[in-house]
Amino acid sequence: MMGQSGQRECSTWVTTAAIEYRYRAGKSQTGVSAVEPFGRSLLVLGGARSGKSRYAQDAAEASLAELVFIATGQAFDDEMTSRIARHQSDRDARWRTIEEPIDLAGAIASEDADGKTLLIDCLTLWASNLLLTDENADVRINELVSSIGQARSRLIFVANEVGLGIVPDNALARRFRDLAGTINQRIAAECTGVVFVISGIPMWVKRQAATPN
């Protein structure tokens, strides 16, 4: 009889096979293939308006699992309210949304279950939240990294790549840039897949597709 670990690996392989099928059959809005197999966890990186959130959502919806969106953004002004509304309108009735600006590890733990895909969007806003609330960022990052290895759900993270431009001219902005880069490195190291989206086109940095047991 297959044990719990074997069942989980088999489930992962079946889900990955479904994604592979949809990847070969479907195209994204940009005309490139929408998703590829990535294993148990995926980090989607990109610049502003690069298509990273669209790609992450495509990957989640291709999993054919129960879908949960964990939102880190907070509507402090009209512009952010509009951005949040636009992203919400992109998600259909299959999605359930959880708002959690700080305790991502706790949100993942509360929703974690076999047969689920959790989409966390985004880690960069999470970095901003940690800075503005004087949270112990190292503790929160360690908690999140640990949750990736323990999760039964498939996890998809979205983050901005903010370190490719000029050095910011003030201390707070430099702290933010450094924290965002640290978070991206830690999560990328733990995830089985990392993809960088440029102008809507995915460029794979790291990929470790699941294999049958």
Side-chain angles (χ1 to χ4, degrees):
M1 181 178 293
M2 185 182 297
Q4 184 176 11
S5 175
Q7 290 176 336
R8 186 182 304 169
E9 291 183 16
C10 182
S11 175
T12 302
W13 177 72
V14 171
T15 301
T16 301
I19 290 178
E20 175 72 23
Y21 172 79
R22 291 188 63 168
Y23 157 63
R24 293 180 185 279
K27 298 291 183 180
S28 72
Q29 295 174 346
T30 60
V32 300
S33 298
V35 291
E36 296 187 39
F38 56 83
R40 293 295 305 173
S41 51
L42 175 67
L43 172 62
V44 183
L45 295 164
R49 302 295 292 169
S50 62
K52 60 187 181 301
S53 290
R54 178 73 262 173
Y55 185 90
Q57 184 175 328
D58 284 347
E61 291 176 349
S63 70
L64 308 179
E66 180 181 350
L67 300 173
V68 179
F69 188 93
I70 300 178
T72 63
Q74 301 177 84
F76 290 131
D77 55 34
D78 291 342
E79 180 184 1
M80 193 62 186
T81 299
S82 177
R83 285 178 176 270
I84 290 173
R86 176 171 52 81
H87 280 289
Q88 288 174 338
S89 68
D90 288 339
R91 302 191 297 273
D92 59 28
R94 290 173 292 176
W95 287 91
R96 183 163 53 84
T97 299
I98 304 295
E99 296 181 357
E100 179 47 63
I102 299 296
D103 187 12
L104 287 185
I108 290 171
S110 67
E111 291 293 333
D112 191 32
D114 293 319
K116 279 187 177 182
T117 293
L118 311 184
L119 172 55
I120 299 92
D121 193 350
C122 76
L123 295 178
T124 314
L125 286 174
W126 183 57
S128 178
N129 296 340
L130 294 178
L131 280 179
L132 295 177
T133 55
D134 292 324
E135 284 281 332
N136 188 323
D138 289 337
V139 170
R140 292 297 188 182
I141 294 169
N142 289 337
E143 292 172 348
L144 183 57
V145 168
S146 296
S147 73
I148 297 173
Q150 298 168 3
R152 293 175 293 163
S153 305
R154 305 185 92 221
L155 303 178
I156 301 175
F157 299 91
V158 177
N160 286 275
E161 178 52 71
V162 300
L164 299 178
I166 63 174
V167 176
D169 66 355
N170 65 84
L172 180 59
R174 289 192 293 272
R175 284 179 60 202
F176 167 74
R177 177 204 59 184
D178 292 348
L179 178 58
T182 297
I183 291 170
N184 289 354
Q185 287 190 56
R186 295 289 305 281
I187 301 305
E190 193 68 22
C191 283
T192 56
V194 179
V195 62
F196 189 51
V197 181
I198 302 174
S199 300
I201 300 173
M203 299 180 64
W204 282 88
V205 179
K206 172 184 177 183
R207 181 165 53 202
Q208 179 185 334
T211 55
N213 190 26

